[in-house]
């Protein structure tokens, strides 16, 4: 009899616990409703890509020395470097260069290793096409510069979450000159320089403290 | 004849036709699923007939029990065990058919006779309409208490039987170990009630 | 069945005045009655469809808010016309019957699912006599009618000639059968307290003291059981196994398109609104204002039969019922985005091993309390 009551109590406890968890879950969902939608109304609003965004690759034909380093470092040997040896000058003559963005994984290896810096990554990500063959960009297409989101008059640029001012969650209606949370790389550099100066002074003191710590152990 | 009466008559004729045609369909159709669905239709029109008789509680109970439970169960069974089987030809089918035809027509003649000899137009009790629910409850718990309880005990027995049949732990045993198979092996260990009898 | 659409205490009887008007033109009263019949039917359809449109819009908007999206925005102000656009789209879509499907049953299935749900709206009261028909068996009619639905689901599942549809149909039928029982038991406890199956009587019995006399306080367990079972009957998200996308594509709706699919869609939302309305009728005092209207009337010194007060009561009744129902719909949508889908064995476990015993105990306790405290629990 007692064990039966024990079972019933346990059962009731389980049920109450389940109801409790459910209520907590509901509270979380309910709390989400008062937050602002994070929707970006895409064709009219666009996020500003970050500085290191790895988008479509830009290529400068005139800088290229046809060394094929980019082909070797590419995981799938993607770039096509079409050159011929000019017997007279004993130099490579570049005829054509192309990258197929239907196959590229935007890893950035080619950009990293190019000895002449003729490759670079842009912030362009709208590569949709009706035909996959038109994703194979030749040197002319690769040489085009993308329209920046911030300069396009038909688009409202929005800052990404990490670039919003402190305490601000909504990218709409933020004054242009308001700086992002935290420090810009330049400011960090300045800070580090000034710290370096003061650190040099403190160095001696620190060292003695350090030695003291050791001896205490 | 006023409009209320004629609408009642029209409804009765429609429902009656559905019941008869549906019942014939249940018996004669080759596709068993169709038969089952038609059976549901027949049950529903019977409920409609009850409604015409001002017995709305009985009508609702008819739908709840027969359409909602019995017919759905039949459909379940059909859909879960939908195996096409080649039936063996039966010997002496012709004779059997004639015999069963004779029995059926005899029954039919009997029914027709009863129909003709009975005076139907009795001044029955007045319809109590909405009050019928209460009246049914009263009867169930006073003068019909014993049949009511007996029926519930019968249902309980049927339910326990179904549970025993469905949990085959006692009946099937593992060939290798001699332990009872299925549920026991899956669930926790417990001593089956009838294992001794089987091993003996 | 008496057909009544009138204001409180039959002070303003629309049917009567309609019949009078026709009689004055020279139509016999019987023909007038026949002419009257389509009106309540049309009213039910319109009310149900508008309820669904609002619910669909709410569902989309609230879901969007819960996920920090915007939701429909361009069709009308705040996307209010989006459900209409959806409906129109479904209307103009091609009506496809799959090649190896059973055409007759395939067409009949959605109808059998939708019709009982719409019929059940007959018993939803929005005021003392603001309902289509005050049937004596009231709430029992709803339980009986909703048991027809599984037949339609099985039918469409079978007729689609598709294994996902068949599995979905079987699951739906199994689910609604197993949750019908605790649902009926929960309703039974309420019925026991109000001594009547009629929805009007059930609400009347709760409206003595306003908020304090609502059934939630007397039947908290029953309320929870009823709501869980109602969600399961509507196949709402914690219990939407019959159309679980990951396993069954779309369950019994897989092969449906166009208007036939729209019937399923409509049916499920009408059912949701209906369940919410019935919860508010059974447990939340139906059309009752949290403070009894009579007190308000006596405070202003008006008699309860004054036409102005009557119109006021009627409109408050409708508004209160709708508000309560939509609060419950809101809860259902919140639940949809909070709880994950249960597995089929968990679903049946919950139904048979949890809700059924608890609802039986609830029934027993209610009966005992009714005998012990007849004043508080209905004599
Ligand atoms: S980004 Fe990576 S994948 Fe694309 S071309 Fe350069 S190395 Fe190859
Ligand atoms: S690595 Fe740079 S320079 Fe060399 S072939 Fe590639 S793009 Fe030209």
């Amino acid at each position: 009899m007692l064990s039966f009551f024990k079972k019933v109590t346990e059962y009731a406890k389980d049920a109450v616990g389940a109801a409790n968890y459910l209520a907590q879950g509901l509270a979380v969902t309910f709390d989400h409703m008062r937050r602002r939608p994070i929707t970006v109304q895409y064709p009219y609003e666009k996020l500003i890509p970050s500085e290191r965004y790895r988008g479509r690759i830009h290529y400068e034909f005139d800088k290229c020395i046809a060394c094929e380093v980019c082909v070797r470092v590419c995981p799938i040997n993607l770039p096509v470097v079409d050159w011929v040896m000019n017997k007279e000058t004993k130099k490579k003559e570049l005829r054509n260069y192309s990258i197929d963005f239907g196959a590229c994984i935007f890893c950035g290896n080619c950009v990293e290793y190019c000895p002449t810096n003729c490759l670079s990554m842009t912030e362009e990500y709208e590569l949709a096409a009706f035909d996959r063959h038109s994703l194979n960009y030749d040197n002319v297409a690769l040489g085009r510069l993308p329209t920046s989101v911030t300069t396009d008059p038909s688009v409202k640029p929005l800052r990404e979450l990490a670039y919003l001012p402190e305490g601000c969650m909504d990218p709409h209606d933020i004054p242009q000159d308001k700086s992002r949370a935290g420090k810009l790389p330049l400011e960090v550099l300045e800070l580090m320089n000034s710290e370096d100066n003061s650190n040099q002074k403190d160095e001696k003191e620190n060292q003695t403290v350090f030695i003291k710590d050791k001896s205490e152990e | 004849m006023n409009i209320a009466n004629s609408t009642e008559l029209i409804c009765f004729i429609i429902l009656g036709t559905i019941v008869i045609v549906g019942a014939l369909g249940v018996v004669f159709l080759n596709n068993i699923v169709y038969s089952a669905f038609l059976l549901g239709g027949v049950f529903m029109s019977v409920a409609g007939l009850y409604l015409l008789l001002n017995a709305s509680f009985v009508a609702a109970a008819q739908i709840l029990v027969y359409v909602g439970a019995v017919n759905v169960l039949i459909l379940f069974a059909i859909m879960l065990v939908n195996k096409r089987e080649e039936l063996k030809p039966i010997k002496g089918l012709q004779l059997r058919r004639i015999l069963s035809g004779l029995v059926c027509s005899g029954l039919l003649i009997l029914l027709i006779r009863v129909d003709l000899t009975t005076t139907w137009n009795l001044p029955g009790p007045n319809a109590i309409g909405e009050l019928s629910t209460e009246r049914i409850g009263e009867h169930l718990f006073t003068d019909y208490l014993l049949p009511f309880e007996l029926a519930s005990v019968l249902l309980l027995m049927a339910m326990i039987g179904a549970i025993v049949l469905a949990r085959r732990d006692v009946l099937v045993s593992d060939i290798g170990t001699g332990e009872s198979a299925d549920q026991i092996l899956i669930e926790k260990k417990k001593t089956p009630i009838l294992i001794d009898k089987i091993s003996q | 069945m008496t057909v009544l659409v009138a204001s409180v205490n039959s002070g303003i009887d629309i049917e009567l005045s309609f019949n009078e008007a026709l009689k004055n033109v020279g139509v016999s009263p019987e023909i007038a009655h026949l002419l009257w019949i389509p009106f309540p039917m049309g009213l039910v359809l319109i009310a149900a469809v508008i309820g669904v449109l609002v619910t669909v819009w709410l569902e989309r908007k609230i879901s969007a808010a819960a996920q920090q999206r915007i939701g429909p925005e361009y069709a009308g102000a705040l996307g209010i016309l989006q459900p209409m656009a959806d409906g129109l789209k479904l209307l103009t879509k091609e009506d496809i019957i799959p090649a190896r499907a059973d055409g007759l049953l395939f067409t009949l299935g959605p109808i059998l699912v939708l019709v009982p749900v719409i019929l059940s709206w007959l018993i939803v009261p929005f005021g003392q006599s603001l309902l289509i028909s005050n049937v004596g068996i009231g709430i029992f009619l709803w339980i009986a009618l909703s048991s027809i639905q599984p037949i339609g689901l099985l039918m469409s599942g079978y007729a689609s000639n598709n294994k996902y549809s068949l599995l979905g149909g079987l699951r739906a039928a199994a689910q609604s059968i197993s949750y019908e029982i605790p649902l009926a038991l929960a309703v039974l406890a309420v019925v026991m307290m109000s001594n009547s199956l009629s929805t009007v009587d059930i609400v009347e019995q709760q409206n003595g003291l306003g908020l304090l006399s609502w059934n939630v306080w007397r039947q908290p367990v029953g309320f929870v059981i009823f709501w869980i079972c109602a969600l399961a009957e509507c196949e709402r998200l914690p219990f939407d196994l019959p159309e679980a996308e990951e396993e069954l594509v779309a369950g019994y709706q897989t092969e449906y398109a166009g208007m036939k699919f729209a019937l399923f869609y409509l049916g499920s939302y009408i059912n949701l609104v209906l369940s919410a309305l019935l919860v508010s009728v059974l447990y939340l005092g139906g059309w009752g204002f949290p403070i009894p209207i009579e007190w308000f009337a006596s405070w202003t010194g008006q008699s309860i039969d004054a036409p102005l007060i009557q119109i006021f009561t009627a409109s408050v009744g409708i508004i209160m019922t709708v508000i309560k129902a939509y609060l419950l719909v809101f809860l259902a949508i919140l639940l949809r985005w909070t709880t994950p889908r249960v597995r089929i064995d968990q679903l049946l476990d919950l139904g048979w091993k949890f809700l059924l015993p608890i609802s039986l105990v609830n029934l027993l306790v209610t009966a005992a309390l009714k005998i012990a405290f007849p004043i508080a629990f209905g004599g």
Side-chain angles (χ1 to χ4, degrees):
Chain A
M1 200 64 196
L2 206 70
S3 70
F4 174 73
F5 273 118
K6 217 174 177 180
K7 257 188 188 167
V8 170
T9 350
E10 251 169 51
Y11 194 67
K13 254 186 210 157
D14 270 4
V16 169
N20 199 12
Y21 283 131
L22 199 61
Q24 279 177 18
L26 277 178
V28 170
T29 321
F30 191 74
D31 182 63
H32 271 259
M33 306 215 343
R34 70 186 173 87
R35 303 188 188 174
R36 207 192 167 282
I38 52 166
T39 310
V40 175
Q41 299 279 24
Y42 169 63
Y44 313 112
E45 294 174 348
K46 284 176 190 170
L47 288 178
I48 306 169
S50 61
E51 307 96 337
R52 300 197 185 176
Y53 190 84
R54 298 210 298 258
R56 196 257 295 164
I57 292 161
H58 180 255
Y59 167 78
E60 283 169 76
F61 191 81
D62 298 337
K63 272 196 197 169
C64 182
I65 54 172
C67 65
E68 287 196 346
V69 163
C70 52
V71 185
R72 251 171 278 158
V73 296
C74 176
I76 46 173
N77 300 346
L78 185 59
V80 179
V81 189
D82 174 18
W83 52 269
V84 282
M85 193 58 148
N86 191 332
K87 289 268 164 56
E88 284 162 29
T89 55
K90 294 206 173 147
K91 270 184 181 161
K92 284 174 176 173
E93 232 168 51
L94 190 55
R95 289 231 208 105
N96 242 317
Y97 185 92
S98 70
I99 295 179
D100 185 353
F101 287 112
C104 175
I105 58 167
F106 302 98
C107 63
N109 275 357
C110 49
V111 176
E112 198 76 16
Y113 283 95
C114 174
T116 60
N117 272 345
C118 64
L119 292 172
S120 59
M121 302 217 100
T122 66
E123 52 178 56
E124 186 185 341
Y125 51 86
E126 291 148 321
L127 292 170
F130 286 107
D131 179 3
R132 68 196 158 96
H133 301 297
S134 58
L135 286 174
N136 195 354
Y137 281 36
D138 70 345
N139 47 6
V140 182
L142 281 169
R144 265 184 223 126
L145 277 174
T147 7
S148 157
V149 174
T150 36
T151 52
D152 193 340
S154 64
V155 170
K156 183 174 163 58
L158 296 179
R159 294 202 220 170
E160 273 176 17
L161 187 65
Y163 294 84
L164 294 178
E166 206 170 337
C168 187
M169 293 296 283
D170 176 15
H172 299 267
D173 314 318
I174 295 176
Q176 206 72 59
D177 50 341
K178 208 145 183 222
S179 162
R180 68 187 241 197
K183 293 187 174 61
L184 292 174
L186 218 65
E187 294 165 351
V188 175
L189 188 70
E190 265 170 33
L191 195 79
M192 279 166 75
N193 283 339
S194 63
E195 263 177 9
D196 267 2
N197 292 338
S198 58
N199 272 4
Q200 269 162 9
K201 282 181 209 159
D202 300 344
E203 209 137 88
K204 261 191 182 169
E205 268 173 56
N206 280 347
Q207 224 139 37
T208 51
V209 171
F210 181 66
I211 290 164
K212 235 196 220 163
D213 277 359
K214 277 254 161 156
S215 59
E216 265 169 19
E217 277 176 19
Chain B
M1 190 184 264
N2 55 10
I3 288 181
N5 270 348
S6 54
T7 21
E8 211 176 299
L9 191 68
I10 292 169
C11 287
F12 176 75
I13 289 171
I14 293 173
L15 287 174
T17 349
I18 294 176
V19 169
I20 292 170
V21 173
L24 288 177
V26 173
V27 181
F28 286 120
L29 277 183
N30 274 329
N31 189 340
I32 192 167
V33 178
Y34 272 47
S35 297
F37 280 127
L38 267 181
L39 191 63
V42 171
F43 285 149
M44 273 192 246
S45 10
V46 170
L49 287 179
Y50 286 142
L51 264 189
L52 276 187
L53 293 172
N54 250 335
S56 47
F57 183 80
V58 183
Q62 159 91 11
I63 287 184
L64 186 64
V65 175
Y66 282 95
V67 181
V70 174
N71 198 35
V72 170
L73 211 69
I74 290 173
L75 278 169
F76 247 93
I78 291 171
M79 285 183 184
L80 288 180
V81 207
N82 202 357
K83 213 164 67 176
R84 289 208 180 278
E85 244 180 304
E86 283 302 314
L87 297 173
K88 264 184 256 152
I90 309 163
K91 260 185 271 166
L93 192 63
Q94 213 60 34
L95 186 68
R96 285 174 195 225
R97 273 189 180 152
I98 291 170
L99 276 180
S100 52
L102 278 179
V103 170
C104 288
S105 50
L107 273 177
L108 185 67
I109 290 168
L110 199 67
L111 277 177
I112 290 174
R113 202 194 114 75
V114 168
D115 179 28
L116 291 177
T117 51
T118 317
T119 41
W120 291 105
N121 211 356
L122 287 175
N126 285 331
I128 42 174
E130 310 283 78
L131 276 177
S132 62
T133 318
E134 277 169 39
R135 206 58 70 78
I136 289 169
E138 265 168 34
H139 279 302
L140 276 185
F141 284 99
T142 51
D143 36 352
Y144 287 99
L145 187 60
L146 189 66
F148 181 69
E149 292 297 330
L150 277 181
S152 60
V153 170
L154 186 73
L155 284 177
L156 187 68
M157 275 156 58
M159 198 156 83
I160 293 173
I163 292 171
V164 170
L165 283 181
R167 296 181 59 94
R168 281 158 303 162
D169 7 315
V170 252
L171 302 175
V172 185
S173 61
D174 194 285
I175 298 170
T177 58
E179 262 180 284
S180 55
D182 48 37
Q183 251 111 2
I184 288 276
L185 290 180
I186 301 159
E187 290 175 18
K188 48 189 172 296
K189 198 94 179 154
K190 59 185 130 171
T191 43
I193 330 157
L194 295 177
I195 193 89
D196 294 342
K197 278 187 188 167
I198 285 163
S199 57
Q200 272 162 19
Chain C
M1 270 185 235
T2 45
V3 182
L4 276 174
V5 172
S7 165
V8 183
N9 289 342
S10 65
I12 311 160
D13 194 328
I14 301 171
E15 186 191 1
L16 212 67
S17 36
F18 177 83
N19 286 355
E20 290 286 310
L22 279 188
K23 212 189 276 174
N24 291 343
V25 185
V27 187
S28 83
E30 275 160 353
I31 303 238
H33 186 71
L34 273 190
L35 284 178
W36 166 254
I37 286 176
F39 282 97
M41 291 181 187
L43 206 67
V44 166
L45 270 182
I46 291 170
V49 168
I50 289 179
V52 167
L53 290 181
V54 174
T55 311
V56 170
W57 180 75
L58 276 180
E59 167 118 57
R60 283 173 156 237
K61 272 300 196 192
I62 294 171
S63 303
Q67 299 173 339
Q68 295 181 47
R69 292 185 284 114
I70 294 177
E73 199 184 20
Y74 290 105
L78 288 174
I80 211 144
L81 295 178
Q82 189 62 46
M84 298 259 231
D86 287 357
L88 271 181
K89 182 198 81 179
L90 286 174
L91 253 175
T92 52
K93 271 178 94 165
E94 187 190 352
D95 184 24
I96 300 169
I97 294 179
R100 302 279 307 272
D102 190 321
L104 182 68
L105 295 185
F106 191 78
T107 319
L108 215 56
I111 299 173
L112 262 186
V113 172
L114 184 66
V115 169
V117 186
I118 292 186
L119 270 183
S120 309
W121 274 68
L122 285 179
I123 58 151
V124 179
F126 291 92
Q128 186 91 46
S129 38
L130 271 175
L131 80 166
I132 302 303
S133 119
N134 189 0
V135 210
I137 54 165
I139 201 80
F140 189 54
L141 179 73
W142 171 59
I143 293 174
L145 280 175
S146 65
S147 72
I148 298 180
Q149 235 186 349
I151 298 260
L153 298 176
L154 280 174
M155 198 181 267
S156 46
Y158 169 79
S160 302
N161 199 8
N162 173 329
K163 58 189 166 201
Y164 297 122
S165 301
L166 184 60
L167 279 175
L170 285 175
R171 273 190 185 186
Q175 180 172 329
S176 52
I177 287 178
S178 19
Y179 279 76
E180 196 122 286
I181 301 163
L183 185 87
L185 287 175
V187 171
L188 205 58
V190 172
V191 168
M192 208 149 70
M193 291 198 317
S194 57
N195 291 323
S196 168
L197 286 164
S198 148
T199 42
V200 176
D201 292 350
I202 290 172
V203 177
E204 292 257 272
Q205 179 259 350
Q206 301 177 51
N207 275 344
L209 296 169
L211 182 71
L212 290 176
S213 56
W214 288 357
N215 270 342
V216 226
W217 312 122
R218 287 180 280 186
Q219 286 283 335
V221 181
F223 174 67
V224 173
I225 293 170
F226 188 92
W227 185 235
I228 293 175
C229 293
L231 284 182
E233 293 268 309
C234 300
E235 288 150 22
R236 290 287 306 180
L237 196 83
F239 308 109
D240 74 336
L241 296 121
E243 46 211 86
E245 298 89 11
E246 295 84 359
E247 313 155 29
L248 293 183
V249 189
Y252 52 85
Q253 310 170 349
T254 308
E255 297 288 351
Y256 283 88
M259 210 45 215
K260 290 195 189 112
F261 171 75
L263 289 187
F264 276 129
Y265 192 75
L266 207 65
S268 76
Y269 276 99
I270 293 183
N271 211 353
L272 176 66
V273 179
L274 178 74
S275 302
L277 279 170
L278 283 175
V279 171
S280 77
V281 163
L282 288 176
Y283 294 98
L284 301 177
W287 64 78
F289 198 65
I291 305 153
I293 274 295
E294 289 81 24
W295 296 3
F296 185 72
S298 62
W299 176 60
T300 49
Q302 296 264 12
S303 112
I304 194 78
D305 294 326
L308 207 67
I309 290 283
Q310 283 208 355
I311 288 173
F312 177 69
T313 333
S315 39
V316 165
I318 293 175
I319 291 169
M320 282 322 289
T321 322
V322 169
I323 284 181
K324 284 169 190 168
Y326 275 104
L327 275 179
L328 286 161
V329 169
F330 175 69
L331 184 66
I333 297 170
L334 265 197
L335 269 172
R336 173 179 179 173
W337 297 113
T338 307
T339 49
R341 177 185 307 127
V342 294
R343 271 193 331 251
I344 185 83
D345 59 326
Q346 293 170 334
L347 175 97
L348 294 178
D349 268 5
L350 181 71
W352 293 104
K353 293 191 190 165
F354 182 78
L355 293 179
L356 185 60
I358 295 242
S359 56
L360 279 172
V361 169
N362 181 44
L363 191 65
L364 216 67
V365 170
T366 314
L369 285 174
K370 181 173 160 143
I371 293 171
F373 310 104
I375 310 156
F377 288 87

